Amino acid sequence: MNWRDGQNFLRKVTIKKVFNAAKVFLSYKISKTTGKLFHKGLPISISIEPTTSCNLRCPECPSGLRSFTRPTGMLNLTLFRKIIDQMKDHVIYLTLYFQGEPYLNPDFLNMVKYASSNKIYTSTSTNAHYLSDESAKKTVESGLDRLIISIDGTTQEVYEVYRKGGKLDKVIEGTEKILKWKKALKSSTPHIIFQFLVVKANEDQVEEVNKLAGILGVDEVVLKTAQIYDYENGSELIPEKDKYSRYKQTNNGKWVLKNKLENSCWKMWQSCVFTWDGKVLPCCFDKDGQFQLGDMKTDAFDSIWNNDKYKAFRKSILNSRKEIEICKNCTEGTKVWA
């Protein structure tokens, strides 16, 4: 977060939100230290899923593989507004993304506008294939604060190793259109990030993606380590350079997570995920919705956030996180800096 983006973020912060965040942070620290559940406050950040649909077929993504075991579809604007209306007084940061390509939802930018009008910092992640001149202009006008653009290669041959069905020139063109309209409309937002998912095929292009970002005028480059579902026996996607990998190979040839799973998780105290159909999930690793903790179509969020299911899940995190299926492939080391 650079100084301009930081200033923009702080403009969304209120005294009420700070007080709530302090309660959440303190209760998390008490729980982590004592190993006993203590929870106060409401979410600081949330993710809402505009759609599960996607135009690409990325090999480690349920949307790309069309492999969801939960229902697929698109979030409607009415349900989105219902969620925001219950969250606006305490949420600072909204990620309008979970699975799928957000721009495929025709109401996506209307959702951004609504959240922005309620003083919530808005962010999304896109493969940039739908950033036409018109949608690029509307994106800047919507008030979107942060636009993360996936660019996993600096040549088409390398880019399509992971972004199956994607076109690198579309990504670059879309980026240029956003930058053009930011300048034309004299807007400081969105803060544009090139996100580079590092895999074996592209790990030697890190320097090149930084150069490309500089030439285009992109604000920031973030390198992200790749999540591999069946990593135990290795994968052709795992980078050779250790700093770019979530995994390491053991003496018996098997692969394991590099980072040890602690019996704590900040996300369980300060954030949650809403699926397109209103289900409340604990975090972004629950891609198939194994742990549905509530339903916004039938219940108020305050009752969901502290219901018996949520309490039980938080307790299980404190007792033995490694036994929870969605936690087994989780690591804090998802990002490295360019």
Side-chain angles (χ1 to χ4, degrees):
M1 184 177 287
N2 65 14
W3 69 270
R4 184 175 292 176
D5 186 38
Q7 281 187 322
N8 180 44
F9 176 81
L10 289 173
R11 281 195 286 268
K12 310 298 172 78
V13 178
T14 64
I15 296 297
K16 188 174 183 178
K17 290 180 180 181
V18 170
F19 182 65
N20 174 71
K23 287 196 295 184
V24 172
F25 180 75
L26 182 61
S27 65
Y28 169 69
K29 284 296 184 181
I30 291 172
S31 297
K32 184 178 180 180
T33 302
T34 64
K36 296 180 179 179
L37 179 62
F38 179 73
H39 191 274
K40 296 291 181 183
L42 292 161
I44 302 166
S45 66
I46 58 173
S47 296
I48 302 179
E49 179 179 60
T51 182
T52 50
S53 299
C54 190
N55 53 308
L56 303 186
R57 291 187 173 271
C58 304
E60 293 293 328
C61 173
S63 291
L65 295 171
R66 283 39 171 189
S67 63
F68 283 115
T69 57
R70 63 182 172 93
T72 60
M74 295 208 179
L75 175 65
N76 67 65
L77 191 56
T78 301
L79 179 56
F80 176 80
R81 286 173 173 165
K82 180 181 179 180
I83 295 171
I84 294 299
D85 287 346
Q86 295 185 47
M87 312 297 285
K88 62 186 179 183
D89 289 338
H90 50 86
V91 164
I92 301 172
Y93 195 109
L94 165 64
T95 300
L96 262 166
Y97 172 76
F98 176 32
Q99 298 298 299
E101 168 52 49
Y103 279 85
L104 286 172
N105 189 317
D107 279 323
F108 170 64
L109 291 176
N110 289 325
M111 295 173 187
V112 174
K113 282 183 180 180
Y114 190 74
S116 295
S117 70
N118 281 285
K119 292 196 69 175
I120 298 173
Y121 184 98
T122 54
S123 173
T124 197
S125 180
T126 179
N127 60 46
H129 282 60
Y130 295 95
L131 291 177
S132 64
D133 199 59
E134 180 183 6
S135 66
K137 182 183 180 184
K138 287 181 178 179
T139 296
V140 177
E141 292 174 333
S142 72
L144 182 70
D145 295 296
R146 175 172 291 208
L147 181 64
I148 300 169
I149 296 174
S150 297
I151 180 168
D152 304 331
T154 57
T155 60
Q156 176 61 29
E157 180 183 13
V158 171
Y159 172 79
E160 66 184 356
V161 168
Y162 190 81
R163 299 290 164 182
K164 302 289 186 184
K167 301 294 181 184
L168 180 61
D169 59 354
K170 294 282 288 183
V171 179
I172 294 172
E173 287 171 13
T175 303
E176 290 173 332
K177 286 167 184 172
I178 289 284
L179 289 163
K180 181 190 82 171
W181 281 110
K182 274 185 70 174
K183 184 176 181 180
L185 297 171
K186 298 180 180 179
S187 175
S188 61
T189 58
H191 179 75
I192 302 173
I193 295 175
F194 266 176
Q195 182 170 275
F196 195 79
L197 187 72
V198 187
V199 294
K200 186 175 181 179
N202 67 16
E203 62 185 321
D204 292 326
Q205 293 189 341
V206 170
E207 185 176 342
E208 292 176 26
V209 78
N210 277 284
K211 287 180 180 177
L212 177 60
I215 291 169
L216 294 174
V218 169
D219 296 304
E220 187 179 349
V221 175
V222 170
L223 308 181
K224 185 176 182 181
T225 61
Q227 176 189 356
I228 311 297
Y229 278 99
D230 297 317
Y231 60 82
E232 291 88 353
N233 295 312
S235 166
E236 61 183 13
L237 294 173
I238 297 177
E240 292 182 354
K241 296 176 183 177
D242 181 68
K243 67 178 179 179
Y244 296 142
S245 177
R246 296 188 190 190
Y247 314 97
K248 63 181 179 181
Q249 193 169 24
T250 60
N251 292 333
N252 65 6
K254 296 293 184 179
W255 291 77
V256 296
L257 280 170
K258 289 196 298 187
N259 292 358
K260 182 181 177 182
L261 284 180
E262 295 184 0
N263 287 333
S264 62
C265 181
W266 169 232
K267 285 187 176 182
M268 293 306 101
W269 270 251
Q270 68 92 18
S271 68
C272 65
V273 172
F274 298 90
T275 63
W276 69 271
D277 55 348
K279 301 297 188 298
V280 180
L281 308 181
C283 78
C284 60
F285 274 85
D286 192 9
K287 294 177 173 61
D288 276 317
Q290 288 178 264
F291 298 92
Q292 293 182 12
L293 303 174
D295 190 337
M296 290 296 292
K297 287 183 177 178
T298 57
D299 301 308
F301 181 76
D302 286 6
S303 65
I304 295 171
W305 186 237
N306 290 301
N307 67 18
D308 290 340
K309 280 186 178 181
Y310 235 125
K311 288 177 181 177
F313 192 85
R314 291 190 184 103
K315 284 180 181 178
S316 66
I317 290 285
L318 295 171
N319 292 333
S320 185
R321 187 178 169 205
K322 66 182 180 181
E323 293 181 10
I324 302 171
E325 189 62 35
I326 62 171
C327 297
K328 290 180 180 178
N329 202 2
C330 177
T331 172
E332 296 301 319
T334 58
K335 293 179 182 177
V336 289
W337 297 106

